[in-house]
Amino acid sequence: MSAEREPIGVIGTGYVGLVTAAGFAEVGNDVWCIDIDADKIGRLEAGEIPIWEPGLKELVAANRERLHFSTDIGDALAHARLLFVAVGTPPTYSGDADLSAVYSVVDAMPASDDHALVMKSTVPCGTGAHIQRRFAETGKAGFCYVSCPEFLKEGSAVADFLDPDRVVVGDDGDWAGQAVVDLYAPLDAPLVRTDIRSAEMTKLASNAFLATKISFINEIANVCDETGADVVEVARGMGLDPRIGPKFLQAGIGFGGSCFPKDVTALKQMAGNTGYHFQLLNAVIEVNELQKRRVVQKLQKHLGPLTQKKIALLGLAFKPNTDDMREASSLVLSARLLADGAAISVYDPVAEEEARKLIPGVTFAESALAAVAGADAVVLVTEWSEFGELDFAAVAGAMDGRLVVDGRNFLDPVAVRGAGLLYEGIGRPSPRRVS
Ligand code: UDX
């Protein structure tokens, strides 16, 4: 099969790049993976995976002979026509996307009539047109450009890549667009072939819509807190309407990660730069910021001033099944609690190494039970499955206080209350009926 599949290059070996590379290798392509970080390339060559992503290590190992790692873009250019770009586009202080890594790749390209850049990194709408102009101005007009946004989710990235909901290819109707379509053909996913700007916008709009859904249900949860309704029941009832759907209606302490906060801000900023004030997204962002702090109010409601109170945080990663700490709600929460004078112990089954770089002044515990020992209150921050299996009698025995704040509405309130603890969810004020 691999003899028929064309080799590709992938520039940037982060979450998106490495999963894309391993995924295409699995489908049968030879993949030249390029990164400027020599240490990372060395580790990858040695079979070490720099990120924690279920199934990725196995996928890389299984396709090791088709994966080639290098710090030299020339290696990818020599072997492949299609060069996927999967470098970071972090936010700048203004909220715009920082495209410097993208443009260093663009500027490293030679003049060629046989190559194409395939943009996987999330970029503002109009970036493709700008890159094409840059190619034209620098005598590289023959270099093709395709937008192919990536929709994979961390924690299920391998499965999402191999079984995508849709593949979006934005191009000018040239050989490169068709080559990308052919590349994805074995995955048998619904294809949206469109123009470059619409492809760029599809990615931004998708993430902004999902983030809006979360901020919406979080506001409903906040109203539930005041009215005595249970947001879990409300979301269950809402989600059965196929126009709404059950997904992304889990209220909690806000969305984080490398995509939603950055992409929502970038879309708002991009609209603003064109003179359009995207009112809805302002609210989505503000609700999310306030939501991260809601736990502090809940703690104060029960404990009074938090000075010298001992608070245990269970989970630190921005969501389960990843070690990614980018924009994690735990960062804001721990900083607020420390500023209020609380003593914090934390436990995360996977993200501790990343978290140690970002959260100073807290005690890292070896287990959930060690973290809750002597605590006045416990806050569930990330819904790792092991927290669903906690022995709450043991938790109650280890704690000094009784308060459990479930920041993800993940725990069983009956089990928590049954152990003599006080359960506080997000938008779940009334004791749940056992029916
Ligand atoms: C997201 C998009 O889902 C993906 O398509 C895109 O390519 C990248 O951004 P990811 O950042 O990996 O993926 O995480 P996702 O599972 O979407 O969750 C994002 C955040 O929203 C997490 O912090 C999660 O805890 C939160 N969330 C999600 C909620 O608070 N409630 C929900 O109902 C769903």
Side-chain angles (χ1 to χ4, degrees), residues 178-399:
Q178 190 54 47
V180 175
V181 169
D182 294 343
L183 205 60
Y184 275 98
L187 301 183
D188 209 18
L191 171 72
V192 179
R193 189 160 181 195
T194 182
D195 61 281
I196 293 169
R197 284 176 194 269
S198 301
E200 290 167 342
M201 196 66 185
T202 303
K203 167 72 188 203
L204 292 170
S206 297
N207 276 356
F209 184 80
L210 291 168
T212 302
K213 222 174 161 187
I214 299 170
S215 277
F216 179 85
I217 200 67
N218 282 338
E219 289 220 277
I220 294 291
N222 298 345
V223 178
C224 285
D225 266 337
E226 301 304 321
T227 57
D230 182 340
V231 73
V232 174
E233 297 297 300
V234 175
R236 190 156 67 97
M238 288 170 64
L240 289 169
D241 182 332
R243 293 169 301 175
I244 299 175
K247 294 185 181 162
F248 275 68
L249 285 181
Q250 277 141 37
I253 52 172
F255 58 77
S258 65
C259 291
F260 283 176
K262 153 177 97 74
D263 292 352
V264 175
T265 305
L267 178 52
K268 183 197 106 169
Q269 195 64 29
M270 195 190 81
N273 294 346
T274 69
Y276 183 73
H277 179 57
F278 206 141
Q279 294 201 55
L280 189 55
L281 291 188
N282 275 327
V284 169
I285 294 162
E286 195 184 330
V287 168
N288 198 50
E289 284 311 311
L290 294 173
Q291 203 67 16
K292 293 179 195 169
R293 292 163 172 79
R294 250 186 110 68
V295 163
V296 179
Q297 294 156 14
K298 286 181 183 283
L299 290 169
Q300 284 164 340
K301 184 176 93 181
H302 291 277
L303 303 180
L306 298 179
T307 320
Q308 295 192 336
K309 292 286 187 309
K310 189 175 171 207
I311 316 287
L313 305 185
L314 298 185
L316 297 167
F318 86 95
K319 67 173 189 177
N321 298 323
T322 178
D323 64 349
D324 200 338
M325 286 293 299
R326 284 177 288 181
E327 300 283 338
S329 296
S330 63
L331 297 172
V332 171
L333 181 59
S334 57
R336 277 270 3 106
L337 294 174
L338 285 172
D340 279 2
I344 306 179
S345 61
V346 300
Y347 167 71
D348 188 289
V350 168
E352 179 177 333
E353 195 184 327
E354 284 304 304
R356 277 184 183 275
K357 300 174 197 161
L358 299 165
I359 310 184
V362 304
T363 306
F364 286 87
E366 292 282 296
S367 68
L369 270 185
V372 306
D376 295 298
V378 171
V379 181
L380 183 128
V381 180
T382 312
E383 64 275 36
W384 285 100
S385 60
E386 70 171 70
F387 300 145
E389 283 145 32
L390 271 174
D391 174 354
F392 282 99
V395 171
M399 288 175 69

Side-chain angles (χ1 to χ4, degrees), residues 164-181:
D165 301 327
R166 77 289 210 192
V167 171
V168 176
V169 177
D171 69 297
D172 287 339
D174 46 34
W175 68 264
Q178 190 54 47
V180 175
V181 169

Side-chain angles (χ1 to χ4, degrees), residues 9-25:
V10 175
I11 304 168
T13 56
Y15 278 100
V16 170
L18 198 53
V19 173
T20 302
F24 277 126

